[in-house]
């Protein structure tokens, strides 16, 4: 498993870099074929190649993951793959190349691999726009989904996830000389400031809804009234009702300044993953690994899509470790065999149900 993990990590795969993603997909396919036999098919898309493998027979369970990472090319040179003091480190080890390796080796331990499919997508980190339809198609065909994203803190699996989305609020104003005739302009930055304060008030932490302005841009020169501004907002919700409320609120945003124009793009694209979607599979996982904990978390994954379809979905079955998206990302090596066996046990239980 360590050898295969090194192989995947050392082929960098930043989202949206199509050349790098093709090399990564080819490497993932090679590892899957080498360990499981059969043919791993590359499914081209505008987001990069997805990898799909089937063990044949009637589909019963989908193992779901992604091979894109958040790290730009060159990260590996600064932070190479290494194993030290029981931890593997390097870009993508925890999110989520370690989970892919564990799943493949778990399946390799089974004499019968029929009824199992693996789908490894290329654009999960940037919204899964090119892979969502394929994910939903295979999830419905299989009827159960095991998501090999990294574990929750302490090694627990993820039994619930918030719905999440990104909104971009664009403001169009009118430029003018900031010293000679500031009143002749329509200050897009001032309008954006009004909107940021209004948007921040949409959050309801008591019901799990967070609305967080994260990125803003405005203006061109220090003596020009800004003619344009943009604000990017991260949204997380726990219920369909809150998803609808937030989307309606963004659609209803109105300018405060005369002649300012507001345009809103975005949605809560990943629906909430209710804990009820994981209940049956989590009970099986606890029988296989007594003491295993389940947690609802704020981050989203492709499991949100499959759970929203009513397909039983258990997430966080991948690497035990931490530091997702950060330089201190790590995987606990001693846990790899246990997690691989857990995936194998879940596959057997689902097929025999």
């Amino acid at each position: 498993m360590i050898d295969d993990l090194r192989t995947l990590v050392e082929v960098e795969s930043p989202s949206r870099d199509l050349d790098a993603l093709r090399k990564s997909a080819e490497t993932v396919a090679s590892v899957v074929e080498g360990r499981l036999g059969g043919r791993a098919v590359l499914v081209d898309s505008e987001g990069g190649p997805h990898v799909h493998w089937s063990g044949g027979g009637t589909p019963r369970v989908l193992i779901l993951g992604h091979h894109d990472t958040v790290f730009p090319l060159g990260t590996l040179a600064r932070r190479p793959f290494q194993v030290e003091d029981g931890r593997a480190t390097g870009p993508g080890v925890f999110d989520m190349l370690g989970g892919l390796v564990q799943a493949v080796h778990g399946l390799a331990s089974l004499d019968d691999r029929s009824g199992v499919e693996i789908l490894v997508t290329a654009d999960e980190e940037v919204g899964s726009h090119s892979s969502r339809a394929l994910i939903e198609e295979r999830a419905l065909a299989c009827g159960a989904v095991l998501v090999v994203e990294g574990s929750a803190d302490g090694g627990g699996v993820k039994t619930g996830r918030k719905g999440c989305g990104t909104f971009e609020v664009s403001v169009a104003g009118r430029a003018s000389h900031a010293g000679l005739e500031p009143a002749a302009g329509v200050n897009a930055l001032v309008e954006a400031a009004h909107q940021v304060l209004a948007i921040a008030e949409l959050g309801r932490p008591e019901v799990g809804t967070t609305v967080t302005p994260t990125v803003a841009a405005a203006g061109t020169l220090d003596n020009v009234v800004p003619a344009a501004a943009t604000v990017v907002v991260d949204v997380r919700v726990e219920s369909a009702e809150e998803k609808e409320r937030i989307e309606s609120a963004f659609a209803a945003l109105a300018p405060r300044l005369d002649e300012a124009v507001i345009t809103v793009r975005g949605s809560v694209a990943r629906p909430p993953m209710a804990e009820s979607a994981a209940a049956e599979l989590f009970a099986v996982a606890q029988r296989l690994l007594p003491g295993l904990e389940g947690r609802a978390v704020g981050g989203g994954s492709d499991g949100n899509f499959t759970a929203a379809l009513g397909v039983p979905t258990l997430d966080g079955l991948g690497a035990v470790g931490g530091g997702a998206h950060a330089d201190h990302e790590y995987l606990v090596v001693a846990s790899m065999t246990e997690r691989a066996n857990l995936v194998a046990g879940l596959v057997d239980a689902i097929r025999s149900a």
Side-chain angles (χ1 to χ4, degrees):
M1 284 193 283
I2 292 294
D3 288 343
D4 285 348
L5 182 57
R6 177 188 296 274
T7 296
L8 295 186
V9 171
E10 291 185 344
V11 180
E12 294 181 282
S13 55
S15 305
R16 298 194 176 101
D17 187 323
L18 298 186
D19 290 337
L21 289 169
R22 177 158 291 279
K23 293 176 184 176
S24 173
E26 290 170 349
T27 304
V28 170
S30 176
V31 169
V32 170
E33 291 175 350
R35 299 298 177 188
L36 301 179
R39 180 168 176 245
V41 177
L42 267 58
V43 182
D44 285 326
S45 79
E46 62 182 13
H50 314 307
V51 182
H52 181 242
W53 177 89
S54 172
T58 302
R60 296 293 305 279
V61 56
L62 175 67
I63 294 176
L64 183 58
H66 63 90
H67 65 98
D68 64 318
T69 71
V70 300
F71 302 104
L73 290 179
T75 302
L76 186 68
R78 178 173 57 83
R79 193 159 56 86
F81 178 82
Q82 60 181 359
V83 178
E84 190 174 58
D85 297 329
R87 293 186 172 192
T89 55
V93 290
F94 177 68
D95 187 13
M96 62 167 294
L97 302 176
L100 296 179
V101 169
Q102 292 166 185
V104 168
H105 280 261
L107 288 183
S109 72
L110 301 175
D111 293 331
D112 178 12
R113 297 160 197 165
S114 63
V116 184
E117 295 188 13
I118 299 174
L119 178 58
V120 186
T121 65
D123 64 345
E124 191 274 345
E125 296 289 6
V126 290
S128 306
H129 301 295
S130 73
S131 58
R132 180 174 180 175
L134 179 60
I135 291 166
E136 292 177 337
E137 172 196 311
R138 297 323 307 158
L140 288 169
C142 292
V145 177
L146 305 177
V147 185
V148 288
E149 290 276 5
S151 69
D153 290 345
V157 293
K158 297 172 179 177
T159 54
R161 285 185 178 272
K162 288 186 179 183
C164 51
T166 302
F167 291 82
E168 182 180 271
V169 180
S170 300
V171 180
R174 183 172 61 247
S176 66
H177 195 292
L180 295 177
E181 47 181 3
V186 178
N187 196 315
L189 177 54
V190 172
E191 179 62 50
H194 284 296
Q195 296 302 323
V196 165
L197 293 175
I199 288 166
E201 292 297 317
L202 295 175
R204 289 182 179 172
E206 69 276 9
V207 294
T209 300
T210 59
V211 180
T212 310
T214 54
V215 180
T220 54
L221 293 171
D222 58 2
N223 62 352
V224 178
V225 171
T230 59
V231 178
V232 178
V233 186
D234 178 276
V235 172
R236 311 281 164 146
V237 299
E238 288 185 0
S239 68
E241 292 77 16
E242 280 295 279
K243 173 183 184 296
E244 293 175 5
R245 181 184 71 84
I246 290 295
E247 290 178 341
S248 296
F250 271 93
L253 289 176
R256 305 291 181 87
L257 302 182
D258 291 342
E259 299 185 73
V261 177
I262 293 176
T263 303
V264 178
R265 288 184 292 272
S267 65
V268 182
R270 291 186 193 272
M273 174 181 167
E275 292 191 71
S276 57
E280 184 179 353
L281 293 176
F282 180 48
V284 175
Q286 286 184 306
R287 290 197 295 271
L288 293 167
L289 190 59
L292 181 68
E293 295 184 350
R295 297 188 183 181
V297 297
S301 83
D302 288 335
N304 290 57
F305 298 134
T306 64
L309 295 172
V311 177
T313 300
L314 186 59
D315 204 336
L317 288 163
V320 175
H325 297 189
D327 281 353
H328 65 278
E329 180 183 24
Y330 69 94
L331 173 153
V332 178
V333 173
S335 68
M336 294 184 76
T337 299
E338 180 178 79
R339 301 298 274 213
N341 288 336
L342 178 58
V343 170
L346 283 164
V347 166
D348 262 348
I350 291 167
R351 292 186 304 184
S352 63

